[in-house]
Amino acid sequence: MKELYGPLSVIGMKGCEEFTDQVNAYLKRWRGSDECFEIKAECPRFGSGEAKGLLHDSMRGHDVYIICDMFNHGVTYNMYGQQVPMSPDDHYSDLKRIIGAIGGKARRINVIMPMLYEGRQHKRSSRESLDCALALQELVSMGVTNIITFDAHDARVQNAIPLSGFENIRCTYQMIKALIKTVDDLSLNHNDICVVSPDEGGMNRAIYYSSVLQLDLGMFYKRRNYSVIVNGRNPIEAHEYLGKSVEGKDVIIVDDMISSGDSVIEVAAKLKERGAARIFVFASFGLFCNGLANIDKAYEDGVITRIFTTNLVYRTPELLQRTWYTEVNMCKFVSLIIDTLNYDESLSELLSPANKIHNYVDKAVSDGRVKR
């Protein structure tokens, strides 16, 4: 019989309650237990905006998993009589408060942070702060053993904590599965569909998709104006394409996140100009910081066919109602990660899902759902 590393406790930070409920339900089903693994924790605030972490159960000797969404702006708190949406800084501070409330009593603390706090600030190009690296070091210094994230903007940020656990997990299998389930008359023959990276930074991600699906690969590189800074970044002047012809082919654009959506729309429009058929977008995190109007227009104009993002970060009710949107549910996968680690077993098979992808695609082909 497999032995547990320690009694399992799962804490969902504010805004992650629904996700944590689903994770808890999977764990209970797999373990054939009526025990609730979900632990209630909260961060009540004073009128000034100050807060404290509060646990309702002892974590002494427990294997604790804290699920947090640093980008959930759908939750608010009261400060000086105003309802203030929680920023990533607020969520990060609450995470530290809950770790502080555990007080070093847990046997192991694991933080599941799907989209890394300050993950886009992963390297220094001038006199800049390295916020993500500092945050990782701070969490480790507070007693966190493992940090689990998904599709990190640049996983090399883990070099900031070389002696601590850091897992960067792909959503590839779940994305491909959602594509096959959602899209009719889909062909995964290399003559009918290809994979494109919207920039050079995402090439490793796109290479993995093209390799496991045995498809051609293309990429865009961003020509930026480095003499100007707009909204904290150098504006993109043009997207230039490198790769084989996409004429008459469906295209899968693979990225880690959608922020404003302007970049992916421009890339999709460039592909349409080159004769591409349907455009499918895979992005682990759909933030849509500037709203949905620009994506709606791109869909109406036939530039984008469908966008797939996960439920690892907050999705607005308006997004969930869009006909061009498909949500990729990751709750079962996160539950599997927690279950595996709690038994102190290897994550190797979960981190390399190539065999699962091949088996699923082969079955879809034999069932007639996909052409090959």
Side-chain angles (χ1 to χ4, degrees):
M1 182 176 178
K2 296 187 292 185
E3 291 188 11
L4 300 174
Y5 185 84
L8 175 60
S9 294
V10 181
I11 297 173
M13 297 299 295
K14 192 171 184 181
C16 297
E17 295 86 355
E18 182 181 346
F19 191 99
T20 309
D21 287 345
Q22 291 188 51
V23 168
N24 181 60
Y26 278 115
L27 291 169
K28 288 173 66 175
R29 185 191 313 169
W30 293 339
R31 299 192 176 189
S33 170
D34 292 330
E35 178 184 359
C36 180
F37 300 105
E38 191 174 353
I39 302 300
K40 185 171 176 54
E42 56 183 318
C43 293
R45 290 183 180 265
F46 303 99
S48 61
E50 298 168 286
K52 62 180 178 181
L54 178 62
L55 287 172
H56 294 271
D57 295 278
S58 171
M59 294 294 98
R60 187 179 296 277
H62 284 225
D63 191 16
V64 180
Y65 294 80
I66 306 175
I67 301 174
C68 51
D69 176 9
M70 300 288 108
F71 299 85
N72 192 330
H73 60 92
V75 291
T76 62
Y77 61 91
N78 186 280
M79 185 171 70
Y80 292 100
Q82 302 177 63
Q83 287 299 312
V84 181
M86 288 187 69
S87 70
D89 291 341
D90 291 324
H91 284 292
Y92 179 63
S93 294
D94 278 0
L95 170 63
K96 292 190 292 182
R97 290 181 177 111
I98 292 303
I99 295 172
I102 293 172
K105 304 300 191 299
R107 188 172 182 188
R108 180 170 65 184
I109 299 176
N110 309 266
V111 170
I112 301 176
M113 187 188 294
M115 186 172 177
L116 273 180
Y117 171 71
E118 298 290 356
R120 283 188 281 177
Q121 184 54 24
H122 61 280
K123 63 181 179 180
R124 177 178 284 144
S125 57
S126 61
R127 292 183 292 276
E128 299 174 337
S129 58
L130 293 173
D131 298 57
C132 187
L134 288 172
L136 294 178
Q137 291 177 346
E138 186 176 21
L139 291 176
V140 167
S141 71
M142 294 182 72
V144 174
T145 306
N146 295 314
I147 296 171
I148 300 160
T149 191
F150 290 78
D151 274 340
H153 191 69
D154 192 327
R156 289 175 293 184
V157 73
Q158 66 186 290
N159 292 336
I161 49 169
L163 300 181
S164 300
F166 183 98
E167 302 293 350
N168 179 41
I169 301 173
R170 296 186 178 100
C171 305
T172 315
Y173 172 72
Q174 289 77 15
M175 286 288 186
I176 293 172
K177 188 175 179 180
L179 177 71
I180 291 172
K181 283 186 173 182
T182 306
V183 178
D184 297 327
D185 65 346
L186 180 68
S187 172
L188 291 179
N189 186 289
H190 69 93
N191 292 317
D192 300 320
I193 191 168
C194 64
V195 176
V196 169
S197 173
D199 55 44
E200 61 278 15
M203 275 299 286
N204 284 340
R205 199 175 294 111
I207 287 170
Y208 188 80
Y209 275 94
S210 67
S211 298
V212 295
L213 292 176
Q214 298 177 337
L215 301 177
D216 291 333
L217 173 67
M219 69 161 282
F220 283 84
Y221 67 90
K222 297 173 181 176
R223 185 151 50 82
R224 294 181 180 270
N225 183 348
Y226 287 99
S227 64
V228 178
I229 296 177
V230 178
N231 295 327
R233 62 181 183 176
N234 303 109
I236 299 167
E237 291 188 334
H239 286 89
E240 306 291 348
Y241 179 69
L242 300 173
K244 291 184 178 180
S245 172
V246 297
E247 187 170 358
K249 293 183 179 181
D250 292 338
V251 178
I252 302 172
I253 299 175
V254 180
D255 210 351
D256 60 327
M257 61 170 290
I258 296 174
S259 180
S260 66
D262 293 340
S263 179
V264 75
I265 290 172
E266 184 175 347
V267 166
K270 294 284 187 183
L271 291 169
K272 281 291 186 178
E273 290 174 6
R274 288 169 168 78
R278 296 176 296 185
I279 305 288
F280 306 114
V281 180
F282 288 176
S284 299
F285 311 111
L287 303 181
F288 301 101
C289 299
N290 295 349
L292 304 173
N294 57 343
I295 308 289
D296 287 337
K297 186 176 186 308
Y299 173 71
E300 291 166 5
D301 294 343
V303 175
I304 288 176
T305 304
R306 186 161 288 275
I307 293 178
F308 298 80
T309 75
T310 70
N311 63 337
L312 292 169
V313 295
Y314 174 67
R315 291 93 51 232
T316 63
E318 294 77 19
L319 174 64
L320 298 175
Q321 294 171 2
R322 292 302 198 266
T323 55
W324 46 260
Y325 177 70
T326 295
E327 177 183 279
V328 180
N329 193 316
M330 299 294 291
C331 294
K332 186 176 182 179
F333 190 45
V334 170
S335 307
L336 186 58
I337 292 168
I338 292 174
D339 189 57
T340 302
L341 287 178
N342 185 225
Y343 283 116
D344 217 21
E345 295 183 341
S346 172
L347 290 177
S348 296
E349 290 188 11
L350 299 180
L351 299 179
S352 302
N355 289 335
K356 284 183 68 177
I357 293 170
H358 291 152
N359 292 338
Y360 189 83
V361 170
D362 290 343
K363 189 175 187 306
V365 171
S366 64
D367 292 343
R369 289 180 290 154
V370 173
K371 298 175 185 176
R372 193 66 167 161

